[in-house]
Amino acid sequence: MNTLKIVGLLCCSAFLVRSAHIPEKSMDAMSLIEKILGNIPVVHGSSVKIMGLTLDPSSQSRNMPYQSMVTSLGIPAAPELRTVCRPLNQIDFTLEMCLSSMSAGLQLYQDVLGELKERVTTDKVTGLLADIRDLLAQVTKMQEPGQMSSVAQYEASGLASRLPGDYEVQVATHFTLLQLRDFTQNLKRSLRNVEHLTSRPGQRG
């Protein structure tokens, strides 16, 4: 057996060892993802009362007049997972980068919803925050111990200081939940990619 084949087998074996725990953790994560997706409409319905601001995909064109407010209020957007958690036939798929982006996005929503929680008129945000915290913990467990120091860290948005009244709070809550839903759906798809990756040793980690 030549040197290249030996090195390839060693790399594949190392990948399998360090990623063997991921499928179990991803099952727990998937359960939390479904909880989050189910709770988003509940939180939205109890906290956003502005006519026309709904989560219904067919009414998203009504959001257009508010886009300037999204910019002026500085409502942050999460990392684009589809960019870094590519389909498995892409040779530049990097497991650590994918998991790190998931972590950064969940940190973002912990921060933003944490600030909104103090301003909205419902306590249902607390449950949603708990699910996001637990999901972040599961994603963190999927990462290598040696990779923990390189996990993307999200800096606080300071969003609350830019929300002078209830109207702005409701707009910020609406778009945050809308973006959280999109991010969580992308996270779900990305986790499936990770599951497939860890079952196919020929892929890079």
Side-chain angles (χ1 to χ4, degrees):
M1 185 177 293
N2 63 37
T3 302
L4 287 176
K5 288 183 178 179
I6 293 173
V7 171
L9 286 173
L10 288 174
C11 289
C12 290
S13 298
F15 177 80
L16 284 174
V17 169
R18 72 182 179 83
S19 62
H21 66 295
I22 288 181
E24 177 184 351
K25 301 302 180 186
S26 67
M27 288 179 62
D28 296 334
M30 284 295 188
S31 177
L32 288 165
I33 285 172
E34 294 302 333
K35 284 186 65 179
I36 290 170
L37 290 174
N39 282 335
I40 287 173
V42 176
V43 175
H44 190 280
S46 62
S47 57
V48 179
K49 307 300 182 182
I50 298 174
M51 187 70 67
L53 289 184
T54 75
L55 295 175
D56 183 357
S58 65
S59 65
Q60 294 312 302
S61 59
R62 301 175 188 173
N63 290 327
M64 296 305 296
Y66 296 91
Q67 289 301 322
S68 60
M69 284 189 67
V70 173
T71 302
S72 63
L73 294 176
I75 301 173
E80 177 49 74
L81 295 181
R82 285 176 295 186
T83 302
V84 294
C85 300
R86 299 173 184 271
L88 297 182
N89 59 354
Q90 299 292 324
I91 61 173
D92 56 351
F93 179 96
T94 303
L95 180 60
E96 285 79 13
M97 185 181 297
C98 177
L99 293 173
S100 182
S101 295
M102 291 179 186
S103 176
L106 292 169
Q107 290 177 57
L108 181 153
Y109 289 111
Q110 268 195 316
D111 166 62
V112 174
L113 287 172
E115 295 207 18
L116 290 172
K117 181 171 73 74
E118 306 302 323
R119 303 286 298 275
V120 297
T121 57
T122 176
D123 59 357
K124 297 186 183 298
V125 177
T126 302
L128 182 57
L129 272 168
D131 293 335
I132 293 173
R133 178 200 63 211
D134 292 345
L135 179 55
L136 176 59
Q138 291 300 322
V139 171
T140 300
K141 289 177 183 178
M142 294 182 204
Q143 295 179 293
E144 280 290 283
Q147 296 290 332
M148 294 302 296
S149 60
S150 64
V151 171
Q153 297 294 317
Y154 171 73
E155 296 183 3
S157 65
L159 177 62
S161 64
R162 300 190 293 276
L163 304 175
D166 183 62
Y167 183 81
E168 288 81 6
V169 169
Q170 289 192 52
V171 171
T173 301
H174 168 72
F175 281 98
T176 297
L177 292 174
L178 196 64
Q179 292 173 2
L180 173 60
R181 183 182 65 181
D182 291 344
F183 175 79
T184 306
Q185 290 171 340
N186 285 331
L187 196 155
K188 182 178 180 178
R189 285 188 286 268
S190 297
L191 268 181
R192 286 175 177 160
N193 278 349
V194 169
E195 288 175 345
H196 288 301
L197 174 67
T198 56
S199 67
R200 294 175 58 184
Q203 295 293 335
R204 297 193 318 171

